Amino acid sequence: MNLVWATWEPMITTPPCDASEQEYDNRCYAINTGVDAAIADWTARGLVVTGVVYGVPEWARQNTTCTPITAGFEIFCAPDDPTEYGRFVAMLAYRYNGLRGHGRIADFVIHNEVNTNDWFDIGCGQGTPCDPVQWMDEYAANYIAAYDGVMAEQPTAKVLASFTHHFDIAFDDPTAQNPTLSVKTFLTGLDARVGNRNWRVAYHPYAPN
């Protein structure tokens, strides 16, 4: 299930929340009834639901100098404050823990294809070289915030980093028009940054053109 932060929290609102919202950690999140029903239905059918959690709202990326590849990709700018993203992921882990009548999300994918600047934009690309250290630092901060939030609500859930198929270091190209880092480089960097957290990978092994 794609769980787009920008649709759940298009602006910051605080309690009291109305009946169409989920209250969590002094915030109100708008519930999409279709998404809510689908998660409950898949769970009832005995399937494991994976949430792909991305889509940074405008208010959460005001301080990021971002260069989206095209209109509509603004939601793939990295958030200014990883703790805001982590709170949202934790809310999902709380609501969909399988015990509240809404079904369960058991796997949480933290952003999407983050080894490509197109999908996790830290303010480079399109002619501006990316700094691989900053890139991995910013993603690791998001991953840690989300991981810790999920573990607080669902200690047996899995928290995954999402990558494209570009595995070998030959694909490290942070100065390209559309910068990429290899999975090998990015995953090594993530492992060095997340301490003893049990990271996992959501790998997209589609064939190159």
Side-chain angles (χ1 to χ4, degrees):
M1 299 292 300
N2 289 328
L3 300 168
V4 182
W5 181 18
T7 65
W8 287 74
E9 196 178 22
M11 63 185 68
I12 295 175
T13 56
T14 56
C17 308
D18 66 34
S20 65
E21 296 175 318
Q22 171 67 56
E23 181 178 341
Y24 186 83
D25 195 20
N26 202 38
R27 292 289 180 83
C28 300
Y29 295 91
I31 300 166
N32 181 300
T33 55
V35 170
D36 204 53
I39 293 170
D41 183 50
W42 293 126
T43 302
R45 293 169 185 262
L47 298 177
V48 176
V49 178
T50 297
V52 184
V53 189
Y54 67 92
V56 179
E58 184 177 5
W59 63 264
R61 48 181 163 83
Q62 289 296 306
N63 298 323
T64 300
T65 302
C66 187
T67 54
I69 57 169
T70 190
F73 270 62
E74 295 84 3
I75 63 171
F76 300 109
C77 296
D80 299 330
D81 183 356
T83 62
E84 295 284 3
Y85 174 75
R87 180 189 292 109
F88 171 58
V89 183
M91 180 277 298
L92 295 173
Y94 168 84
R95 180 173 178 84
Y96 301 108
N97 69 353
L99 303 174
R100 303 181 189 281
H102 308 296
R104 183 182 182 216
I105 298 173
D107 302 330
F108 295 82
V109 178
I110 306 309
H111 296 294
N112 179 59
E113 297 192 342
V114 298
N115 61 319
T116 60
N117 180 70
D118 293 356
W119 298 97
F120 188 74
D121 192 336
I122 64 166
C124 51
Q126 291 75 58
T128 301
C130 293
D131 178 349
V133 172
Q134 179 192 359
W135 192 343
M136 291 184 285
D137 282 350
E138 290 202 27
Y139 180 70
N142 278 257
Y143 185 90
I144 288 168
Y147 182 101
D148 291 351
V150 170
M151 289 300 104
E153 301 296 347
Q154 286 197 52
T156 60
K158 298 175 182 177
V159 184
L160 304 97
S162 172
F163 300 111
T164 64
H165 67 280
H166 300 87
F167 185 80
D168 193 78
I169 59 172
F171 291 105
D172 285 334
D173 198 357
T175 64
Q177 181 75 8
N178 300 95
T180 60
L181 291 178
S182 68
V183 178
K184 203 170 191 178
T185 294
F186 210 110
L187 197 52
T188 302
L190 182 65
D191 180 62
R193 288 166 168 79
V194 299
N196 62 358
R197 294 170 180 84
N198 293 318
W199 53 260
R200 291 176 169 87
V201 173
Y203 188 53
H204 297 175
Y206 49 84
N209 292 338

